[in-house]
Amino acid sequence: MDILKSLGHPEEIYNLFKFKMGGCRTVMPKLDCESMSESLRTCYLYLNQTSRSFAAVIQALDGELRHAVCIFYLVLRALDTVEDDMTIPLDKKVPLLHNFNTFLYQEDWRFTESQEKDRQVLEDFPTISLEFRNLGQEYRDVIFDICHCMGVGMAEFLEKKVGSMKEWDKYCHYVAGLVGIGLSRLFSASQLEDPEVGRATDLANSMGLFLQKTNIIRDYLEDQKEGRAFWPKEAWSQFAARLEDFAQPQHLDSALSCLNLLVTDALRHVPDVISYLSRLRNQSVFNFCAIPQVMAIATLSACYNNPQVFQGVVKIRKGQAVTLMMQATSMGAVRVIISQYIQEIRQKVSPTDPTQDRTLQILDSIRDKNLSQDPLPSRVSSLSPVYLSAAMLLAALSWQYLSATTGQNSTGNMQGH
């Protein structure tokens, strides 16, 4: 039960209730589907079916940017589905990836041979490509260009594993950094953000790399079970003969050393994340960008020096996620959140960890970048222990009632995810 996991965190309980009772609309207003064409409504249906992370914040974007980002996401989801499908032979997959952007202007193109769970975006690609062609030229140019670059990059890594740390950066650039660059160009094209946001490609690339590296680090065990390997050999070969050895209990110390090295590498992108977010002016764009980033730094904190990465699944609490989502709506609040999790990681750094010095150095650089002119507000509750105990008991009882009465209505929406 989600609320029980947050019993030691009263702020999370409050935010779970606030979110459940409609507070989610503060950052995720309800989408008006009645004014949409049938094909556009279908695209938003696919968005909610295929996106675990971004559907809600995409739907909260302002104006025509919302539709542009929705279509951008679905086009890249279709491309990614081709890449992920191991049943497609390479002699067919490589040309598909190289030419995928051209299918956007072929009205009837579809692919019906995929076995992936998200194959509907390929089987009904004509609906997606129709809505792509309905976008303004300024949006179509960005999506067409990024789709081409990403397809070529994905094809490059089909037959080779990530070796060096530079190759790790390159792979993450192709699959996520380009997304950040494309989104930034869309933000500027919409005129909701300054042209400089779209031109700052290095910062946008870091936004994508930070998210992608966090996912790769967290998903070690899942990827191993699926026969995938994204941890760079340059890192893991310092501590083991084989990447899969980290899942064995006798190799835990070595596994944690490699894990901490990779978390440290991911953290070096945080100063760029701070710089990027500081440039944003539109509230919906800021929410869209900031929420995944604070979720990522919370996830990295949970993963750092955590044996569970090699034994199961590391997830942040639902109450924690809701709290982050509802708080990360201003740069001041984001700085507070970053400071909190940087301090958490610092407290976990072992003096015997091989990457200790580098980790502390990067944490210091994040702290320096994150310093603001005004003192950071306290996130510690001032409520008395007696009051908190009573409040938590009431919250637990009330949550049971709310879950029972509203759970059946939550299917298909993104409030709880």
Side-chain angles (χ1 to χ4, degrees), residues 26-27 62 193 280-288 328-330:
T26 303
V27 291
D62 288 341
E193 296 293 347
L280 301 179
R281 296 294 175 262
N282 178 269
Q283 185 66 59
S284 73
V285 172
F286 183 87
N287 294 350
F288 175 85
T329 56
S330 71

Side-chain angles (χ1 to χ4, degrees), residues 250-374:
Q250 63 270 29
H251 296 292
L252 180 59
D253 288 345
S254 296
L256 290 175
S257 294
C258 184
L259 168 65
N260 295 343
L261 184 155
L262 293 180
V263 170
T264 298
D265 181 79
L267 287 170
R268 68 183 172 87
H269 300 293
V270 174
D272 279 351
V273 169
I274 296 169
S275 293
Y276 182 95
L277 294 176
S278 298
R279 298 184 178 198
L280 301 179
R281 296 294 175 262
N282 178 269
Q283 185 66 59
S284 73
V285 172
F286 183 87
N287 294 350
F288 175 85
C289 295
I291 290 171
Q293 299 293 330
V294 297
M295 296 283 192
I297 199 164
T299 300
L300 277 187
S301 178
C303 287
Y304 186 83
N305 210 40
N306 187 351
Q308 187 64 21
V309 172
F310 307 98
Q311 300 164 1
V313 180
V314 175
K315 289 184 178 180
I316 60 176
R317 299 178 301 276
K318 185 174 182 179
Q320 186 181 3
V322 167
T323 296
L324 291 171
M325 186 181 300
M326 297 185 72
Q327 289 183 341
T329 56
S330 71
M331 196 61 220
V334 168
R335 290 180 188 275
V336 172
I337 293 168
I338 290 174
S339 293
Q340 173 194 355
Y341 288 109
I342 290 307
Q343 184 60 28
E344 281 190 10
I345 295 172
R346 184 183 296 275
Q347 292 172 353
K348 299 176 186 178
V349 177
S350 168
T352 61
D353 187 87
T355 323
Q356 175 206 14
D357 291 343
R358 177 63 174 157
T359 304
L360 294 176
Q361 178 186 6
I362 289 179
L363 293 176
D364 286 343
S365 71
I366 296 171
R367 179 200 61 200
D368 294 343
K369 182 70 177 180
N370 202 36
L371 285 176
S372 58
Q373 294 180 351
D374 300 321

Side-chain angles (χ1 to χ4, degrees), residues 59-312:
Q59 292 170 183
L61 288 168
D62 288 341
E64 62 185 19
L65 177 62
R66 178 190 310 122
H67 301 327
V69 174
C70 172
I71 301 307
F72 183 46
Y73 174 86
L74 290 177
V75 169
L76 298 188
R77 171 58 64 187
L79 178 67
D80 189 58
T81 301
V82 171
E83 184 208 21
D84 286 345
D85 195 332
M86 304 302 291
T87 68
I88 303 175
L90 286 179
D91 60 351
K92 179 178 289 188
K93 182 181 289 191
V94 170
L96 281 173
L97 294 175
H98 280 166
N99 300 316
F100 201 86
N101 62 321
T102 66
F103 304 147
L104 290 166
Y105 287 104
Q106 298 179 29
E107 294 183 10
D108 298 323
W109 186 89
R110 67 179 75 231
F111 188 76
T112 58
E113 301 170 33
S114 176
Q115 303 302 313
E116 288 290 295
K117 61 181 178 64
D118 293 332
R119 59 185 176 272
Q120 72 266 30
V121 295
L122 289 170
E123 294 172 348
D124 193 21
F125 198 76
T127 296
I128 298 170
S129 66
L130 170 63
E131 287 302 326
F132 164 81
R133 293 188 297 276
N134 286 339
L135 294 173
Q137 186 68 46
E138 66 275 19
Y139 298 124
R140 281 183 279 143
D141 288 346
V142 173
I143 296 172
F144 187 84
D145 179 51
I146 295 297
C147 182
H148 172 68
C149 294
M150 186 175 292
V152 171
M154 287 176 169
E156 179 182 335
F157 278 90
L158 281 179
E159 295 186 276
K160 71 175 184 179
K161 294 183 178 180
V162 178
S164 67
M165 299 297 286
K166 286 186 177 180
E167 285 179 331
W168 199 36
D169 278 358
K170 189 176 184 181
Y171 171 76
C172 291
H173 164 74
Y174 282 139
V175 300
L178 283 171
V179 179
I181 292 170
L183 286 169
S184 299
R185 290 170 60 186
L186 292 177
F187 299 156
S188 294
S190 72
Q191 299 185 358
L192 293 177
E193 296 293 347
D194 293 336
E196 180 59 29
V197 170
R199 291 194 290 262
T201 55
D202 287 345
L203 298 182
N205 187 58
S206 284
M207 292 279 284
L209 263 62
F210 185 58
L211 297 181
Q212 185 66 20
K213 288 181 178 181
T214 298
N215 290 338
I216 289 174
I217 290 167
R218 179 199 61 200
D219 293 342
Y220 164 84
L221 193 61
E222 177 184 338
D223 287 337
Q224 283 294 298
K225 290 178 179 178
E226 295 293 329
R228 301 187 295 257
F230 298 109
W231 283 26
K233 185 175 182 180
E234 181 181 336
W236 62 256
S237 63
Q238 299 178 41
F239 308 101
R242 303 179 307 163
L243 180 57
E244 53 266 35
D245 290 345
F246 290 151
Q248 304 301 319
Q250 63 270 29
H251 296 292
L252 180 59
D253 288 345
S254 296
L256 290 175
S257 294
C258 184
L259 168 65
N260 295 343
L261 184 155
L262 293 180
V263 170
T264 298
D265 181 79
L267 287 170
R268 68 183 172 87
H269 300 293
V270 174
D272 279 351
V273 169
I274 296 169
S275 293
Y276 182 95
L277 294 176
S278 298
R279 298 184 178 198
L280 301 179
R281 296 294 175 262
N282 178 269
Q283 185 66 59
S284 73
V285 172
F286 183 87
N287 294 350
F288 175 85
C289 295
I291 290 171
Q293 299 293 330
V294 297
M295 296 283 192
I297 199 164
T299 300
L300 277 187
S301 178
C303 287
Y304 186 83
N305 210 40
N306 187 351
Q308 187 64 21
V309 172
F310 307 98
Q311 300 164 1

